[in-house]
Amino acid sequence: MDHFAGLDVSVKETSVCIVDDTGKIVREVKVASEPEALLAVLTNPVYHFKRIGLEAGPLSQWLYSAFAEAGLPVVCVETRHMQAVLKAQINKTDRNDARGIAQMMRVGLYRPVHVKSLRSQKLRMLLTHRKLLQSKAIAIENDLRGTLRNFGLKVGMVGTVKFEGRIKELVENLPDLANLVEPLLIVRRALREQIVILHRRLPVACARSAFRLRCWSVIAARARRRARSAGMSGRTAPE
């Protein structure tokens, strides 16, 4: 007899519902949202799972990878489609959601989504953090340009490397302004140093990846566009 399972995952606990091919509930349990605790339930030899469903969410990629490595037929379901099906329930609870997901797996009423590998997630995290640091550094540079302009101090067109020196040159004879801009220059310097570190890790992260060439072409194109816009607007181009 085939079995189907539905998992309603939250941060701390996950509601699990197991049904047979007739739709009868075989077992319901709530366990910690950890791969070990869930695998202890799902790898029971009593059950022969045909599909195990969980909703796409913050923990779904982590749990999906653990289930796939264990050889379980796990399916990650598109969030909006699942919510449209489950909202028809009168009482919406974690237990009832798990029941609904299990029944969706049984009748095949679901829309699967692609789950990225952990390697892809790490690369995405690297690019996201690098972009975040770049945006903060540019925000500080633009803020310094704008605030100093109020005192008639114009930074002008200057590259990233010479930006700090240009700011110090402008406020050299204004000690009160120098004290105000120094904290921002320290933070900007630290951000730029970390951007360089993350940038140097990109070739390692992309090595032996079919995505490597496309990734680097996108990065180079963005850098060229930012350099052009910086030259037109007089703003500092990010590294």
Side-chain angles (χ1 to χ4, degrees), residues 77-147:
V77 184
E78 200 271 328
T79 303
R80 288 177 295 180
H81 182 255
M82 179 172 288
Q83 290 178 347
V85 175
L86 296 180
K87 72 178 181 180
Q89 298 178 130
I90 298 177
N91 297 321
K92 183 168 174 53
T93 63
D94 293 345
R95 182 179 181 182
N96 288 338
D97 284 352
R99 290 180 178 181
I101 297 171
Q103 296 297 341
M104 290 171 64
M105 295 297 105
R106 183 178 68 88
V107 300
L109 185 63
Y110 61 90
R111 184 178 300 167
V113 296
H114 172 69
V115 179
K116 295 181 179 179
S117 65
L118 293 179
R119 178 187 178 89
S120 298
Q121 287 299 317
K122 292 177 182 177
L123 178 58
R124 179 184 179 185
M125 184 176 180
L126 173 59
L127 292 172
T128 303
H129 288 181
R130 177 176 173 272
K131 182 179 180 181
L132 176 63
L133 294 183
Q134 284 180 329
S135 65
K136 299 302 180 183
I138 294 173
I140 291 176
E141 292 166 0
N142 290 338
D143 184 78
L144 287 171
R145 288 176 179 274
T147 52

Side-chain angles (χ1 to χ4, degrees), residues 10 46 66 71 106 117 133 140 146 153 156 158 165 175 182 203 206 217 224 233:
S10 62
V46 175
R106 183 178 68 88
S117 65
L133 294 183
I140 291 176
L153 304 176
V158 60
E182 183 63 23
C206 296
S217 63
R224 287 193 295 269
S233 62

Side-chain angles (χ1 to χ4, degrees), residues 34-96:
E34 299 287 340
E36 296 79 9
L38 291 167
L39 288 174
V41 177
L42 300 176
T43 55
N44 191 322
V46 175
Y47 309 119
H48 180 263
F49 288 109
K50 189 173 182 180
R51 280 187 291 270
I52 299 173
L54 71 160
E55 183 182 0
L59 299 180
S60 60
Q61 295 168 345
W62 178 46
L63 297 177
Y64 182 96
S65 300
F67 296 160
E69 289 180 2
L72 295 174
V74 60
V75 178
C76 191
V77 184
E78 200 271 328
T79 303
R80 288 177 295 180
H81 182 255
M82 179 172 288
Q83 290 178 347
V85 175
L86 296 180
K87 72 178 181 180
Q89 298 178 130
I90 298 177
N91 297 321
K92 183 168 174 53
T93 63
D94 293 345
R95 182 179 181 182
N96 288 338

Side-chain angles (χ1 to χ4, degrees), residues 145-156:
R145 288 176 179 274
T147 52
L148 291 179
R149 196 178 296 124
N150 294 329
F151 301 94
L153 304 176
K154 301 177 182 179
V155 179

